[in-house]
Amino acid sequence: MKWIIGVLIFWVAAYALNIWLANSKWRNTRVVKFAVPAIFGITILVIWEGLVKGLQVPSVILPPPSMIAAKVVDSIPILRGDLVQTFVKGALTGYVIGCGAAVITAILIDRSPFLQRGLLPVGNFIAALPIIGTAPILVMWFGFDWQSKAAVVVVMVFFPMLVNTVQGLKATDQMQRDLMRTYAGSYWQTLFKLRLPAAMPAIFNGLKIATTLALIGAIVAEFFGSPTRGMGFRISVEVGRLGLDMVWAEIF
């Protein structure tokens, strides 16, 4: 009970402090702008810790932040290896290859109406396929190491990036393109000086979507086969062992 009372007192104090900072004459300073969300985050952690311990929630259901932090400190070498395996080798490699290939393909599609009519419908179909269906196939094709995870990421990010880039290249109107022709601008000059800059909002929107898909794809792909390291591998193993503190450590 003392944990719950302590949590309530801390929450009231933190709330009052945040209100005071938000309405103070220093509210527009950099320190206060940093302090307000920091206090809010600390309050969430304290409430989490207090409620879990006060209500005696089993750690296999929800471990307290202190247990998760201790697990992170004790497992730094393991977490570092999992991060390199999943994020650097799998997600980041696939992200760069997939997004780069999508931009190049979008330019080729822009040059060829035939490819635009033939490839985009196929791309939309493949993009709609669930990852749990394509990941096992790619794991069997490319092996159980990071290459198969990168291949899954490439498939996941390629078509959303392709569609966004193709749409972005259409952002300029006919008058702007005609103006470039009156200046004797070639296709590539028009592309790099007019159309690609105009397409940047759509391209960055595709990159934003692909960022989320890349990490999801790399982690989920590890559920279907992986060496003895990786975030997805560790999560699946620790869930089976009821090691929820390690699962949360991987998430954080």
Side-chain angles (χ1 to χ4, degrees):
M1 190 64 182
K2 64 180 181 180
W3 278 101
I4 297 178
I5 295 175
V7 163
L8 291 175
I9 294 173
F10 186 89
W11 176 77
V12 171
Y15 179 79
L17 178 60
N18 258 353
I19 293 296
W20 179 77
L21 288 174
N23 295 321
S24 67
K25 62 181 180 180
W26 304 289
R27 61 181 178 273
N28 293 323
T29 62
R30 185 176 300 177
V31 174
V32 172
K33 288 182 179 179
F34 173 80
V36 170
I39 293 171
F40 178 80
I42 293 172
T43 303
I44 295 295
L45 293 177
V46 171
I47 292 174
W48 179 357
E49 181 85 18
L51 290 180
V52 168
K53 291 186 175 180
L55 299 176
Q56 297 181 347
V57 179
S59 61
V60 296
I61 296 177
L62 183 63
S66 58
M67 181 182 293
I68 298 171
K71 193 66 176 179
V72 170
V73 173
D74 294 339
S75 307
I76 288 178
I78 296 175
L79 296 174
R80 185 189 300 116
D82 292 343
L83 179 67
V84 171
Q85 176 72 15
T86 302
F87 179 74
V88 178
K89 293 182 178 180
L92 189 59
T93 302
Y95 179 83
V96 172
I97 295 174
C99 291
V103 172
I104 295 173
T105 306
I107 295 174
L108 295 177
I109 288 177
D110 182 69
R111 295 276 288 176
S112 172
F114 172 76
L115 287 178
Q116 186 171 357
R117 291 192 299 268
L119 187 58
L120 285 182
V122 176
N124 291 328
F125 170 75
I126 295 177
L129 294 176
I131 182 177
I132 58 174
T134 57
I137 298 173
L138 294 173
V139 168
M140 295 304 297
W141 284 357
F142 293 95
F144 292 98
D145 209 347
W146 64 268
Q147 292 87 349
S148 59
K149 285 65 182 178
V152 172
V153 173
V154 169
V155 172
M156 288 194 67
V157 306
F158 178 83
F159 291 104
M161 188 66 194
L162 175 65
V163 172
N164 276 274
T165 306
V166 169
Q167 293 300 318
L169 291 174
K170 298 178 181 178
T172 56
D173 56 36
Q174 188 64 42
M175 184 178 295
Q176 292 172 320
R177 294 192 292 271
D178 289 342
L179 180 62
M180 290 297 294
R181 292 192 189 98
T182 61
Y183 292 150
S186 65
Y187 171 82
W188 296 107
Q189 288 175 322
T190 303
L191 177 68
F192 287 111
K193 294 183 179 181
L194 173 65
R195 302 184 68 193
L196 275 180
M200 282 301 155
I203 291 175
F204 277 101
N205 185 56
L207 291 173
K208 180 176 67 175
I209 296 171
T211 301
T212 304
L213 294 176
L215 192 55
I216 293 174
I219 292 175
V220 173
E222 289 181 346
F223 292 161
F224 298 97
S226 176
T228 56
R229 60 186 181 276
M231 297 173 65
F233 167 80
R234 195 75 55 196
I235 289 172
S236 62
V237 169
E238 293 297 332
V239 166
R241 296 169 53 188
L242 300 180
L244 268 295
D245 53 347
M246 189 62 179
V247 174
W248 281 97
E250 287 284 350
I251 294 173
F252 286 114

